[in-house]
Amino acid sequence: QQQVKQSPQSLIVQKGGIPIINCAYENTAFDYFPWYQQFPGKGPALLIAIRPDVSEKKEGRFTISFNKSAKQFSLHIMDSQPGDSATYFCAALITGTASKLTFGTGTRLQVTL
Amino acid sequence: NAGVTQTPKFQVLKTGQSMTLQCAQDMNHEYMSWYRQDPGMGLRLIHYSVGAGITDQGEVPNGYNVSRSTTEDFPLRLLSAAPSQTSVYFCASSPNGGPYEQYFGPGTRLTVT
């Protein structure tokens, strides 16, 4: 049973565009939502994270939008660059418990010139 | 700091063989975890540890054993390799006692024939 559903599976945008990656969850006990970025042949790296008490968080060109009532959150990449081409994973966690991070299935982003 | 290191980078096993994937970190992180990454399935948690001497099962623990005798090391043992264990394995560590800011190793690509 997939607890975090991520879409789309792949995405191609032109340089300067704003790719949007969406994630949805069922378990309302989730209270920490990180995004990881993974380049080919490398391990994932934490990009940005949000808790459900805020609706938006920005770090540089990366923004997370969070809709608690819809149980959805999304990653926006402003002014996307070819160097942003990577696979992006959303994830969810229930803090203070057994602390198991549940990942989405990933979105492969390609930013073209 | 070397961060999180994993050995070997690549490994080919025959069905039924056993082996140990090594993971070490030099950041004095208490929380360590093992994931497997398969196409279209994201990262799935195999086992995790919140400190030396403490381990617990993740989402897909069958066929794998772990131990945590020191803070630095968290080896993953495949007891009797099966083709279904062909995957890329990532070790991660995190401060703060939980998977809030995980630092991933470079991965081990394992093929079981």
Side-chain angles (χ1 to χ4, degrees):
Chain A
Q1 181 185 359
Q2 187 183 346
Q3 296 196 56
V4 179
K5 294 186 178 180
Q6 184 171 348
S7 63
Q9 196 170 27
S10 62
L11 190 54
I12 301 174
V13 300
Q14 284 193 322
K15 178 182 174 183
I18 305 176
I20 301 173
I21 303 169
N22 300 300
C23 287
Y25 62 97
E26 289 297 322
N27 190 344
T28 55
F30 285 139
D31 60 355
Y32 178 78
F33 301 89
W35 285 87
Y36 281 81
Q37 180 188 54
Q38 184 181 30
F39 293 106
K42 304 292 186 184
L46 180 65
L47 193 59
I48 185 173
I50 196 168
R51 293 189 182 269
D53 52 347
V54 298
S55 60
E56 186 176 276
K57 183 175 181 180
K58 292 182 181 181
E59 284 191 10
R61 294 184 293 107
F62 299 91
T63 299
I64 301 178
S65 298
F66 191 87
N67 187 330
K68 189 174 181 178
S69 60
K71 293 185 287 185
Q72 295 176 347
F73 57 109
S74 59
L75 177 70
H76 298 64
I77 304 175
M78 306 303 175
D79 187 28
S80 59
Q81 301 296 314
D84 297 328
S85 297
T87 300
Y88 292 82
F89 293 94
C90 63
L93 172 68
I94 305 171
T95 61
T97 61
S99 294
K100 300 178 186 180
L101 194 60
T102 300
F103 282 87
T105 52
T107 296
R108 193 168 188 172
L109 171 66
Q110 183 180 353
V111 181
T112 62
L113 290 170
Chain B
N1 285 353
V4 179
T5 58
Q6 291 183 239
T7 56
K9 290 192 188 308
F10 302 94
Q11 183 71 48
V12 178
L13 289 178
K14 294 186 187 304
T15 298
Q17 287 184 316
S18 63
M19 79 159 296
T20 299
L21 307 185
Q22 300 293 344
C23 174
Q25 53 93 8
D26 61 358
M27 298 174 284
N28 202 34
H29 289 170
E30 291 294 329
Y31 185 96
M32 295 186 74
S33 54
W34 275 101
Y35 295 87
R36 59 177 289 172
Q37 184 174 26
D38 302 292
M41 301 191 74
L43 293 106
R44 292 181 292 168
L45 182 65
I46 304 171
H47 285 285
Y48 68 98
S49 168
V50 297
I54 307 169
T55 64
D56 206 346
Q57 295 181 349
E59 183 184 352
V60 288
N62 292 342
Y64 308 94
N65 271 358
V66 292
S67 60
R68 184 96 179 270
S69 57
T70 66
T71 299
E72 295 77 22
D73 299 298
F74 191 42
L76 178 72
R77 296 182 190 84
L78 279 70
L79 309 173
S80 177
S84 61
Q85 293 179 304
T86 294
S87 186
V88 181
Y89 291 85
F90 288 100
C91 177
S93 74
S94 175
N96 310 316
Y100 305 105
E101 183 186 349
Q102 292 193 101
Y103 293 81
F104 282 81
T108 295
R109 183 174 294 273
L110 175 69
T111 302
V112 183
T113 61

